[in-house]
Amino acid sequence: MNSSETSIPPGPDAVIVLGRGGTGAASRQSLIELADALRPTLEPGCKVVTSFVDKAAPSLPEALQQCLPARSIVVLPLFSPDEPALLRWLHKLAMRWRSQLPDQGVQVRFADHLLGAPAMPALLLPQIRQALQTPDIAETAGDQWQHDPQAWSQVPDHQHHALVCTGPRCTALGAWPSGKAWARPCRPAANCVPGCACCRPAASTPATMARWPSSIRTASGTGGSRPRMPPK
């Protein structure tokens, strides 16, 4: 066995901490804090960026672009469950991004899924022990737990209801900034423009669905819906 077969490859030039997004800022902030904690443990000069599969930005292609001019990029998936179809889609997404580069020498590698790490059971055991030291939920939920926060139980008045898909494919196509751009001209609160899970297949632009007129209380079916695609 020669030395090249036993040598350990050098550290990456960039690491992408990849998670699932959420509607609140806390989901994004927790991933940013994790990336900040990881950065000092890597080699000096290694760039660490965050990215989200869905419901947030930057998307994986945007994060890959941020890593340039890195020559070796490691994508670190930190989400559950381990969905083979989703991971396969993310690999294809990285391949499509690299195919558009003038230099095809940039290497992108995906780390093994976090739940498959051999150290995971040992990591979870202290969490279980710590949980046994915390109060029962009846002591922390409060008396108004069924109506807290009130926004979860009250539907705001609105005339128009537009759903902007923020699923994995549409997020990669720019759904997060597109949704924000759609919401800005729809102020004040007479219009409702939330993000949602996958609406339907999207080929080249994020999918949207709008209802005129609409009410969240009565628009649970498909009648009166008009699927629309935003301009390219």
Side-chain angles (χ1 to χ4, degrees):
M1 185 178 295
N2 57 44
S3 59
S4 63
E5 294 174 326
T6 59
S7 61
I8 300 175
D13 302 319
V15 172
I16 298 176
V17 182
L18 180 64
R20 304 296 295 260
T23 56
S27 61
R28 298 186 290 276
Q29 185 60 33
S30 61
L31 202 67
I32 293 172
E33 292 175 357
L34 179 59
D36 291 341
L38 177 64
R39 191 172 290 107
T41 69
L42 300 173
E43 295 183 3
C46 179
K47 182 179 293 187
V48 180
V49 300
T50 57
S51 178
F52 298 90
V53 174
D54 51 5
K55 300 182 179 66
S59 65
L60 180 57
E62 291 170 331
L64 287 166
Q65 195 69 26
Q66 290 178 20
C67 291
L68 295 178
R71 304 287 297 172
S72 176
I73 304 172
V74 169
V75 181
L76 191 61
L78 297 180
F79 51 83
S80 174
D82 180 7
E83 301 178 25
L86 177 58
L87 292 175
R88 176 59 179 161
W89 158 249
L90 294 171
H91 291 179
K92 291 170 63 176
L93 204 56
M95 288 290 292
R96 290 172 182 169
W97 169 81
R98 187 169 64 181
S99 68
Q100 298 175 1
L101 296 179
D103 180 8
Q104 296 295 302
V106 179
Q107 297 182 342
V108 180
R109 298 177 173 89
F110 279 73
D112 288 340
H113 198 271
L114 182 64
L115 294 185
M120 182 57 68
L123 180 64
L124 295 177
L125 186 58
Q127 298 295 105
I128 297 172
R129 292 171 176 165
Q130 187 274 335
L132 294 174
Q133 308 301 317
T134 61
D136 177 79
I137 57 172
E139 301 178 38
T140 59
D143 296 336
Q144 300 298 318
W145 59 271
Q146 293 192 70
H147 305 286
D148 181 22
Q150 290 187 350
W152 289 5
S153 304
Q154 296 178 350
V155 179
D157 293 333
H158 63 281
Q159 295 177 343
H160 302 152
H161 185 197
L163 301 176
V164 180
C165 177
T166 53
R169 177 173 292 190
C170 287
T171 294
L173 294 173
W176 191 253
S178 295
K180 287 187 174 182
W182 278 52
R184 278 196 295 270
C186 292
R187 306 297 182 190
N191 300 278
C192 183
V193 189
C196 66
C198 186
C199 294
R200 60 176 184 167
S204 59
T205 55
T208 63
M209 181 176 293
R211 303 178 189 271
W212 284 272
S214 80
S215 169
I216 295 178
R217 296 183 181 89
T218 60
S220 58
T222 57
S225 300
R226 293 189 292 173
R228 294 190 172 189
M229 298 289 285
K232 295 183 181 180

